[in-house]
Amino acid sequence: MLPALCSLFTALSCVSGVTVVTQKPPVLTLTAGQTANMDCNLGTVTNDAAYWYKQVPGGVPQHVIRHYHGWSSPSYGSGFSSPKFTSTYSSKSDYKLIISNVEVGDSAVYYCNTWDSSAEENICVVLCNDYLPLCVESDAALPSPVLKVLPPSTEELKTNKATLVCLASDMSVGFAGVSWLVDGKSVTSGVITGSAQQQDNKKFTLSSYLTIDSSEWDNDKVITCEVSAGGKAASVKINKSECSE
């Protein structure tokens, strides 16, 4: 199987006045060797350039490319060049980052930034914990993540809340997607997922939390945690009756 390329960009944005920078698509899935297209809209900014950055887990942002609609071609940060990386625009506020022939080394979070001269400050897309960065992995070479779900505490159940913790370990990559299901139905409310952390053995761990009403736990509903990383997926289920055995 060819390596898979996946990307999820945060929908949050920095805001200054009415200026909002947004990126799309929210989810991008490709195979190695294909071309990645990432769009950035600068909002009300039409007289400044779009800056694109690349950030790997635990690293600092790297300047990839800078493009202004009045230029004949974009300028590049150190280590980045055409034809691998390029940029186009369709209007004074709409820019596109293009990465050709994607490979493992392109794995990262990509985000855009501009300068709002009217506010005299940078406007950027905010990075947060609930995104899936751009990732390129070899399915055959990587193991599935190891999962464990911890049940809610007895003390918390007295407050009519139940928080379950999904622990993912032995991940070969620092990028992962986490999904929670209650009786087979996907839930997003009450979910908090942290960033992957690298361990001494160079592998990664990740924790995700689901808080539900205690009645759902008491009614023995089946809670499922699903984690996908590096093209590999794993899931684990838990319910009250099994924990009581």
Side-chain angles (χ1 to χ4, degrees):
M1 182 180 292
L2 289 175
L5 173 66
C6 57
S7 172
L8 176 65
F9 296 102
T10 173
L12 299 179
S13 303
C14 297
V15 180
S16 174
V18 295
T19 301
V20 179
V21 171
T22 55
Q23 289 179 227
K24 65 179 184 179
V27 179
L28 176 65
T29 302
L30 302 173
T31 56
Q34 291 186 315
T35 299
N37 292 275
M38 309 176 196
D39 296 311
C40 180
N41 178 270
L42 305 184
T44 58
V45 175
T46 59
N47 59 349
D48 216 308
Y51 300 76
W52 287 91
Y53 294 88
K54 172 184 178 180
Q55 186 174 28
V56 298
V60 298
Q62 298 173 280
H63 175 218
V64 177
I65 204 168
R66 180 188 180 196
H67 197 190
Y68 180 63
H69 55 79
W71 298 347
S72 59
S73 61
S75 63
Y76 292 88
S78 177
F80 301 93
S81 62
S82 176
K84 175 73 174 182
F85 296 89
T86 189
S87 174
T88 61
Y89 66 90
S90 56
S91 73
K92 293 183 178 181
S93 59
D94 290 289
Y95 291 81
K96 184 188 296 289
L97 173 67
I98 303 170
I99 307 175
S100 302
N101 193 27
V102 294
E103 55 189 338
V104 172
D106 298 322
S107 298
V109 173
Y110 291 86
Y111 59 101
C112 64
N113 167 281
T114 193
W115 173 260
D116 186 351
S117 58
S118 63
E120 295 188 351
E121 62 182 83
N122 283 303
I123 309 299
C124 63
V125 172
V126 177
L127 298 179
C128 60
N129 289 333
D130 57 351
Y131 60 78
L132 262 178
L134 190 70
C135 56
V136 187
E137 308 300 343
S138 173
D139 290 354
L142 299 177
S144 299
V146 176
L147 304 185
K148 181 178 181 180
V149 175
L150 303 179
S153 68
T154 303
E155 289 302 313
E156 185 192 27
L157 291 173
K158 296 177 181 178
T159 67
N160 296 322
K161 294 293 181 182
T163 299
L164 296 95
V165 184
C166 183
L167 304 176
S169 60
D170 288 342
M171 298 192 307
S172 298
V173 296
F175 308 117
V178 180
S179 300
W180 287 91
L181 299 90
V182 177
D183 271 358
K185 296 181 179 179
S186 177
V187 294
T188 56
S189 178
V191 175
I192 299 177
T193 300
S195 300
Q197 303 295 318
Q198 190 170 35
Q199 306 302 297
D200 292 339
N201 62 1
K202 304 302 181 181
K203 292 188 177 182
F204 294 84
T205 62
L206 178 145
S207 299
S208 183
Y209 303 82
L210 170 66
T211 300
I212 56 177
D213 191 278
S214 60
S215 62
E216 295 187 277
W217 178 255
D218 290 335
N219 289 333
D220 208 30
K221 291 191 175 183
V222 177
I223 313 298
T224 304
C225 174
E226 297 180 344
V227 177
S228 59
K232 293 291 187 176
S235 65
V236 61
K237 298 180 180 181
I238 189 175
N239 61 326
K240 182 178 180 180
S241 61
E242 289 187 358
C243 288
S244 302
E245 292 178 357

